[in-house]
Structures are given as structure tokens and as C-alpha cells.
Amino acid sequence: MSDILTGLNEQQRQAVSATEGFIRVIAGAGSGKTRALSHRFAYLVNEIGIMPSNVLCVTFTNKSAHEMKHRIRRLTGDNDTGYISTFHSFCVTVLQEDINVVQYPKSFLVLDNSDIDDMLKIIYEERGLTLRHMTFSRARDMIEIRKLFKDPEYYKFMISLSFEELHQKYLNAIEADDIIFWGYLYQEKKCFGLDYNDLIKYVLHIFSVDDAIRVKWQQRLEYIMIDEYQDIDDLQYRLMKVLCDYHKNLFIVGDPDQTIYTWRGANVKYLLDFDKEFPHVRTVMMMENYRSTPQILAAANSLIGNNKNRIKKNLLPTLPHGVPVVYHHAKTAEAEAKWIAFQIKELVDQGAKLSDVTILYRAHFISRTLEGVFLKEELPYTIYSGVQFFGRMEIKDTLSYLRLIVYKDDLSFLRVANVPKRNIGERRMKFLKDYAAQNQCSLYHALEKTIDNEIFKNTKAKRLLDLIEGFSRTYQDVPISELLNSLLEQSGYEAMLRTEGSQERLDNLAEFKQSVYEYETASGEECTLENYLSHVALLTNTDTASGRNAVKLMTVHTAKGLEFPYVFLCGLEEGVFPSKKTATLEAMEEERRLAFVAFTRAEKALYLTDAEGRNLDGSYRYPSRFIFNVDKDLLAYTEELDQSLLNDSNWHIGSSEKLMEGMSSQFAFNPGDRIVHSIIGAGEVIGIDRDKAAYLIKFDNLRTARSISLRAKIEAENGRN
């Protein structure tokens, strides 16, 4: 026992040794919650004598589960670590043992997004659908929404209907939504495949129809522990509640200030209201932070204190004093990146390693300017959970179009000749390659010479030639930014991305346009397309980015659960962080929690930066409200902000707060709520369109969902007289 409890503080000891009943641990960032979970598992096994196979420990990532197993093996000296897994992995385990109850084989498939897309391709080809009817991205979202809200008992059809009956429902469907949905269920059944939503649904269904199986699992799991409880959604909550209903031993760990996944269904109320849902709950507060300096924690506490929907608490420092949290306001994004590069070099001169430094941002496109500056400054870097900006598909495609206009080279031609689709597939490309080899010419010139050949009938090859030739004649007479806009429009490339529903790619393309405009402004008379392409070719050289000792670049979401000695949080501008999509006070609180997560990743030093300038829509960039949310005396400003900028920023932030207050008060219902319309009758809210100020409602007596304006008279179903 002394080994397991040694080195734990009083709150951690309470959490580890409290074994029976319902226990809630509110664990602040850096307070050692993983340590508490692993030691509690070891305490149950080594000291209480519980068999590891009777303990379930749920984490939210496979990586976390792997780390937990490693720690527990070290503590217990036993290779048996029970059930340490994600919710979905645990459900796979249950189904591999008991899915035969619903006449599925134990060799069922677990589907990922690429599998789903392959199924969608089959459905679209069979029923004559195109991406104009619905992009694959939207189709996947639609299927998930129907499974969760509109048709929550869909799985009963998958289980009870035969292949032929399910196929017939698919063939009888008329609307695109129904064709895709029933076609997908049929394709799933054909291969006995289950997606992520199915896994929990099937387990809950099996538990509901077979008491013996439910009781078997309830009795087997004598102790249940759940990490990151603030991130669980409704289905996970229902599963957990069923599993703990026999022994009634449930131990949860979470931090409401780190709820950053509501967009994918997480609901912090399950953590906040835990003591209302379960009897005799014991709450342990773990607030001692072992990660960050007192200066970093003071800034983080000050920031998150602006949120209303939280358990009031402060992280308590245990480390000695460090350096102040620095705030730097730059005149441009490039100046911001140069300042960051200079600070990193200063840290290295003081003995830090490049790998000790991490740069965080709200969205991937922010990395573009950083990459350009770091390459010039020969600062090695690595991008996590993303590719380097100029190596991204949409950027490489666009550069290939620009190169084709000037150079008509084979590499560019091969990349974009059939992007968007022009029916220039493998057979026709082979024809061009053979001709080019025989006649010692480029592929582009081969197409010019053979465009009248029968093989190019019913293709858009002639349009491609006309496009490139037209721009080749005029590109020297127009600004690159103007040429780029025309090229993206006339080629159909930007329209293709919109059709695919790829907002991140469109955002990256917008950032690329901004970079071209900035290059034009800086280059003056030397700004030719040839010079620009040479400039970018140097930027795409990633030799300096290789090696382990490199600066890390990643989004804040990617950094969740990690920690780094030195953190730069950049792009702290209104419309970037917080995101321009933030429309309600609740959403703004989530953005602030995300900023809090970023602050609390830092161990030794934290730097906050933003930049002036204009966005592509012409709007002015203001410093983020999250900078002003921190008490000014807790930040070391590199220089004072101009008073006019402060006044404008305060006006902008105040105006947006008022708009959000109005928007938040308008939406009285959430997805999943039952309502009654004064004319149509009862139904269920399955979505909210904040831009249109409308609910998406599936009414009980209507076959399809309806968008209903907030002006309509709607009340809660249980509020009827």
C-alpha cells in the first residue's frame, strides 16, 4: 500500500482510496488525474484484491488507454490490466462476445470514414445520384444526425429486416436523404458492418432485449472508472448508467473548464449534475497543479473566471515562480511570426532545445505565415495533425495551375489535367504519354497536337487548353492576385471544393490568396508570376523541417492532454480565436475553455501574440477578447496598445456580446428536445440553424423534417396545458 500511495497529495490519496459508491473527482489541468486513475486501479487490484478483469477504465483515446495500461503494469507487476479502453473499443469487446443475439457474426466489420465513402459511391452509382444532390461529407453528417435524432431506432430495422426487405426499402426511397440513408443501412447489413454510432446502439439494444447478457456484464464490472467525463455524450452516458447499475461503483474524473467538444455531442451537464443524478456522491477537488509556473496559472485562472457555466475553482501552483506571461501585439502576421522566431532563438541561446517549443493556433491555416518565416530563418519545425501549408492538396493544385500557365510542364499537367474531372482518365493520359514519348514533346503540347483525335471526344480537354492558353496570353498584364481569383473560378476548382463541402480546404485557399496579396504588396515592381513561383518553390523545400530537434506546430484541439516547456499561442484575433463562427454566449464559453486549455499546456513560459491587418472580407483584425479577459497586471505587454485600437476593439467586442446575448436567449430548445408547434403538433428538435434563426424539427405526423422559424409559436411538450 505504501508504494501505491507514496508521493500522492492528500486529494489524490482520497481519490485513490475511495473505492465504494459514486465518486466525482474535479481534476484541474496538470493536477495528476492520470496518476490518480492508474494508482486507484493498482489500489483496487493490489490492496483490495479485486481481479483486473472485473475493472473497467474508460479513456477517450486509444493513446490514453495505452499509456494507462503501461502505468498500471508498472504499478501492479501484472500483465492483466482488465478492460482499459475507449467506449467504442469496449463496445467492440462486448459485441465480439454477444453480437450473435442479434444474428450478426462475431466477425463483424468496424467501419471508418473511407469505408463509408466506398459505400456511398456504390449507392450514388446505383441510384444516379451526384455530388450536387449531396456531398459525401454532408451525407456522412446526415446519416449520423438521422441515426442519433431523426431515426434513433434505425438499428431495429437493420437487425429485424432481412437483406431483401432492407434492399426493398432502399429501392422504394425517392428523396436523396432517404435513398442515401436506407442504401447505407443496406450496405452495412450486407457486409455486417457497424460504424461508431452503431457500436454503442447495438450494445444498448442487446442489454435491453437480453437480461441475462446485461446482468452478466453488470456483475462482471465491479468497478467502473471514466476519464475525461466532461466529454461524454448522451449515448455514452446511457451505456455507463446501465453498466454501473448493479454494483453501483462509479468513479469519474473530469474538468468542466476543459469541455471543448460540444460540437461532437459532449455535454458538460453530466459532470456538473453528477451529484443530482446519483445518490450519496462524494466529490474530491484536485486543484494542485504540478505542470505550470504560478504566473501561467494566474493568467489561466483569470481567463476562465470569465465563464459563468462552471464550478468555481482555481488551479493552485506547486512550482516555484517563473517568468511573466508575455503578450506581443504585432503590426502584421509576418511581423508576428518574425517576433516568435526571434524569441525561439533567444530561448535556444539560453539553453532550451527547439523540441521544447510548441506553437499553438486555433486553425491550421494560421501556420502558413509561420512556415514561410521559419524556412527563411532556418528554424526546423514539425506540423502535427496536418501537412505543411504549401504541401496541402489544394495549395499544390493551385500552384500547379499557375505553373502550367507559365511553364506547361508535365508535373503540373499530370496533377491538374483531370482536377476538376474532365474525363481525362488513365486511358487518355497513356495516349498522351505515348505521343509525347514518340514526338519528344511535353504532355501539354501532346494534347495540343492531338486534341482533334477521336479519343478526346466527349471530354473537356479542349476547355482545358482554352483555359491555359487564355491565361498564358494575359498573365503578364494582370496582378497575380487577380489572375489567381479568375483562374480558380474559370477552372472550376473552387466550385469543386464547395461541392465537396470541404470548408477547411476553402479556408486554406483563402489564406493562400491572402499570402499572394501580401507578396504583391511587398515585392512592388518585381512582382511577376515567375518570381512568385520561384519564391514559393523555395518555401516548399522542407529539408530544414526534418529531424527530431524541431519546433512543434499544432492546433489547440490537437494539444489537448499534452504539455510543453515553452508555448506560443498565436493568431489571437477576433474572428480567428474566438472563431468567427461563434454565435452564442454558450459557444463563446467553449472558445474560452479552448483558450484555457492552450494556456495550461505551458510548463515554463507562455507567450500570447496577435497581429493587426485586414481579413479577406475587408474586416479589421482586433486583438482577441481572451487577451483582455486576463487581468492586465498578469501579462507583460511588450508595448502598450494604441488607445484608438483599444477603443475600437472594445466597441467590436461589446457589439458582438450584445448580438450573442440576443441569439442565446432566442434558442430555447436544443437538439433532442420534444416540442409542440401550435399548428403542426408534437415533434423533436433535430438541429439548429443559427444563421437562419430556425429549428430543424422532425414532427411526429410528417414524413420529413421542417425548418421552423423562431417566430413560430413553439413550447416544450411537457409544458402543454
Side-chain angles (χ1 to χ4, degrees):
M1 186 184 299
S2 60
D3 289 340
I4 293 172
L5 297 181
T6 296
L8 301 181
N9 64 34
E10 180 56 32
Q11 288 71 36
Q12 290 171 337
R13 289 170 67 96
Q14 288 179 27
V16 168
S17 58
T19 59
E20 305 304 310
F22 297 98
I23 301 152
R24 172 176 63 177
V25 177
I26 304 297
S31 63
K33 67 181 180 62
T34 304
R35 181 179 175 84
L37 279 163
S38 54
H39 279 248
R40 187 175 190 270
F41 193 112
Y43 185 84
L44 287 169
V45 173
N46 286 13
E47 306 305 326
I48 305 297
I50 304 301
M51 300 298 295
S53 55
N54 295 128
V55 182
L56 169 64
C57 182
V58 178
T59 66
F60 265 76
T61 66
N62 290 314
K63 181 181 177 183
S64 298
H66 179 77
E67 170 66 17
M68 192 77 71
K69 287 178 183 177
H70 177 72
R71 290 194 186 201
I72 289 168
R73 283 195 188 103
R74 198 170 62 223
L75 287 167
T76 63
D78 192 340
N79 283 331
D80 185 356
T81 53
Y83 299 101
I84 302 176
S85 65
T86 64
F87 272 110
H88 293 99
S89 296
F90 173 71
C91 287
V92 170
T93 301
V94 174
L95 293 172
Q96 286 172 340
E97 191 169 317
D98 290 314
I99 199 170
N100 56 292
V101 170
V102 291
Q103 289 77 52
Y104 268 59
K106 294 184 178 181
S107 58
F108 64 92
L109 295 175
V110 179
L111 306 173
D112 60 20
N113 277 350
S114 63
D115 298 320
I116 296 171
D117 285 351
D118 289 341
M119 291 178 174
L120 291 173
K121 287 174 190 172
I122 295 170
I123 296 164
Y124 278 45
E125 287 173 9
E126 286 181 349
R127 297 298 303 269
L129 297 179
T130 69
L131 294 178
R132 293 185 183 279
H133 290 94
M134 193 179 299
T135 64
F136 282 6
S137 175
R138 278 190 56 212
R140 289 197 303 269
D141 289 346
M142 180 274 294
I143 290 167
E144 181 168 22
I145 288 171
R146 284 188 67 154
K147 282 186 171 185
L148 293 177
F149 301 115
K150 185 179 176 184
D151 297 294
E153 296 193 337
Y154 69 90
Y155 57 90
K156 293 182 179 178
F157 289 105
M158 291 177 66
I159 293 168
S160 63
L161 296 181
S162 66
F163 292 118
E164 294 74 18
E165 291 170 323
L166 202 51
H167 190 224
Q168 198 58 48
K169 285 188 79 71
Y170 161 52
L171 295 178
N172 291 343
I174 298 172
E175 301 290 334
D177 280 31
D178 292 333
I179 292 171
I180 294 167
F181 183 68
W182 290 107
Y184 175 67
L185 296 191
Y186 169 64
Q187 290 296 330
E188 277 194 293
K189 176 109 177 184
K190 270 179 67 178
C191 67
F192 292 110
L194 301 178
D195 63 27
Y196 269 27
N197 289 311
D198 300 328
L199 293 173
I200 297 182
K201 287 270 194 176
Y202 270 56
V203 169
L204 285 170
H205 175 70
I206 289 171
F207 286 170
S208 70
V209 298
D210 195 309
D211 292 344
I213 289 176
R214 185 188 74 252
V215 171
K216 176 186 72 173
W217 283 98
Q218 288 174 330
Q219 291 180 339
R220 184 182 299 179
L221 302 176
E222 296 173 355
Y223 294 88
I224 298 173
M225 300 190 287
I226 302 178
D227 191 12
E228 305 285 8
Y229 196 77
Q230 75 277 355
D231 291 332
I232 72 165
D233 60 28
D234 180 61
L235 280 178
Q236 293 162 346
Y237 176 77
R238 286 165 53 196
L239 176 62
M240 174 275 304
K241 202 167 183 182
V242 170
L243 290 173
C244 74
D245 195 44
Y246 184 83
H247 293 290
K248 302 189 186 303
N249 287 326
L250 177 62
F251 177 93
I252 66 163
V253 183
D255 181 5
D257 289 336
Q258 295 188 68
T259 303
I260 60 173
Y261 294 116
T262 59
W263 48 273
R264 70 183 190 196
N267 196 331
V268 72
K269 77 174 184 180
Y270 295 127
L271 177 60
L272 296 176
D273 296 342
F274 188 78
D275 55 340
K276 300 181 182 70
E277 292 293 318
F278 297 96
H280 312 298
V281 169
R282 179 178 177 184
T283 297
V284 178
M285 303 289 285
M286 284 173 37
M287 292 299 111
E288 291 187 30
N289 178 283
Y290 297 91
R291 175 187 300 159
S292 308
T293 64
Q295 287 85 347
I296 293 168
L297 295 183
N301 286 332
S302 180
L303 169 73
I304 201 63
N306 289 271
N307 274 10
K308 303 293 187 290
N309 185 33
R310 64 187 291 261
I311 296 174
K312 290 192 176 182
K313 58 185 176 60
N314 276 329
L315 296 173
L316 304 175
T318 61
L319 299 181
H321 276 264
V323 297
V325 176
V326 176
Y327 165 54
H328 178 72
H329 174 77
K331 293 296 182 184
T332 65
E334 185 174 11
E336 177 187 20
K338 285 181 176 177
W339 185 85
I340 291 172
F342 178 79
Q343 298 303 316
I344 292 172
K345 289 183 176 181
E346 288 275 293
L347 289 171
V348 171
D349 289 343
Q350 294 165 18
K353 294 184 295 185
L354 288 174
S355 56
D356 290 338
V357 179
T358 300
I359 301 176
L360 303 180
Y361 36 74
R362 178 67 176 84
H364 276 303
F365 70 81
I366 298 295
S367 72
R368 191 267 305 171
T369 307
L370 290 165
E371 290 184 63
V373 168
F374 282 17
L375 287 166
K376 286 179 187 175
E377 298 291 331
E378 297 186 345
L379 269 177
Y381 66 91
T382 302
I383 292 187
Y384 287 74
S385 192
V387 295
Q388 295 178 334
F389 187 85
F390 288 100
R392 290 172 179 136
M393 181 200 81
E394 59 277 12
I395 308 303
K396 291 181 75 171
D397 287 349
T398 306
L399 286 169
S400 293
Y401 267 114
L402 290 172
R403 287 202 327 183
L404 198 57
I405 289 169
V406 179
Y407 304 114
K408 298 183 171 65
D409 63 294
D410 283 358
L411 287 175
S412 300
F413 183 85
L414 284 168
R415 185 168 184 93
V416 299
N418 205 39
V419 181
K421 298 289 185 186
R422 297 186 176 93
N423 209 16
I424 307 175
E426 289 183 13
R427 183 172 68 89
R428 294 183 174 93
M429 196 61 77
K430 183 179 184 304
F431 172 83
L432 288 175
K433 288 177 180 177
D434 291 344
Y435 183 93
Q438 292 168 9
N439 293 275
Q440 297 294 298
C441 66
S442 69
L443 294 172
Y444 182 87
H445 287 117
L447 181 61
E448 281 186 311
K449 299 290 186 183
T450 62
I451 191 62
D452 294 324
N453 190 291
E454 183 71 13
I455 197 171
F456 293 112
K457 189 177 180 182
N458 298 322
T459 72
K460 296 178 181 177
K462 182 66 166 61
R463 288 192 202 175
L464 175 64
L465 287 178
D466 292 342
L467 176 81
I468 300 303
E469 285 304 309
F471 282 114
S472 294
R473 288 191 295 268
T474 60
Y475 79 87
Q476 293 174 324
D477 302 320
V478 296
I480 305 173
S481 56
E482 188 177 314
L483 169 75
L484 178 61
N485 285 328
S486 299
L487 177 63
L488 289 170
E489 180 185 351
Q490 293 182 36
S491 66
Y493 188 81
E494 202 161 11
M496 177 192 76
L497 292 185
R498 287 199 185 92
T499 303
E500 289 175 354
S502 182
Q503 188 58 47
E504 183 176 358
R505 296 196 187 282
L506 288 167
D507 286 345
N508 288 334
L509 210 53
E511 182 66 12
F512 179 61
K513 292 177 185 178
Q514 180 85 12
S515 76
V516 171
Y517 176 75
E518 290 171 1
Y519 177 84
E520 283 179 335
T521 304
S523 300
E525 293 181 354
E526 296 179 1
C527 185
T528 66
L529 181 56
E530 290 89 338
N531 285 344
Y532 176 72
L533 291 171
S534 298
H535 162 76
V536 172
L538 292 173
L539 288 182
T540 57
N541 183 343
T542 58
D543 291 345
T544 57
S546 62
R548 293 184 178 179
N549 189 30
V551 178
K552 302 178 181 72
L553 277 67
M554 65 184 76
T555 65
V556 182
H557 279 102
T558 302
K560 176 79 159 45
L562 304 177
E563 54 192 44
F564 317 99
Y566 305 97
V567 169
F568 290 81
L569 178 57
C570 65
L572 273 168
E573 295 117 29
E574 288 291 304
V576 177
F577 199 0
S579 166
K580 63 184 176 183
K581 297 176 182 176
T582 310
T584 64
L585 292 175
E586 293 81 5
M588 184 57 71
E589 291 212 344
E590 174 141 352
E591 288 288 295
R592 191 174 288 108
R593 290 194 294 267
L594 188 59
F596 174 79
V597 166
F599 279 35
T600 54
R601 298 312 93 197
E603 297 172 337
K604 296 180 179 180
L606 174 64
Y607 303 82
L608 312 175
T609 67
D610 73 299
E612 289 184 29
R614 290 192 178 276
N615 298 307
L616 282 174
D617 61 5
S619 61
Y620 192 81
R621 294 180 189 158
Y622 298 104
S624 170
R625 69 194 66 197
F626 300 149
I627 294 165
F628 304 127
N629 282 167
V630 179
D631 289 344
K632 192 170 185 293
D633 59 0
L634 298 177
L635 299 179
Y637 281 52
T638 56
E639 60 180 66
E640 290 298 320
L641 295 176
D642 182 79
Q643 190 59 48
S644 63
L645 175 61
L646 271 176
N647 293 339
D648 290 346
S649 298
N650 288 332
W651 178 87
H652 165 80
I653 293 168
S655 298
S656 71
E657 293 276 353
K658 287 179 182 176
L659 284 173
M660 285 188 290
E661 284 175 9
M663 189 66 76
S664 297
S665 62
Q666 283 179 299
F667 289 99
F669 303 105
N670 296 307
D673 287 349
R674 292 286 302 175
I675 55 88
V676 176
H677 188 285
S678 59
I679 296 174
I680 304 177
E684 183 175 314
V685 177
I686 62 173
I688 293 176
D689 190 329
R690 299 192 183 278
D691 294 333
K692 295 180 180 177
Y695 293 112
L696 182 63
I697 300 175
K698 173 61 177 71
F699 290 100
D700 297 347
N701 58 350
L702 296 180
R703 190 173 61 84
T704 57
R706 299 287 188 273
S707 290
I708 302 296
S709 165
L710 293 179
R711 294 190 298 269
K713 187 177 179 182
I714 299 172
E715 59 183 19
E717 187 174 49
N718 57 12
R720 298 180 72 180
N721 294 328

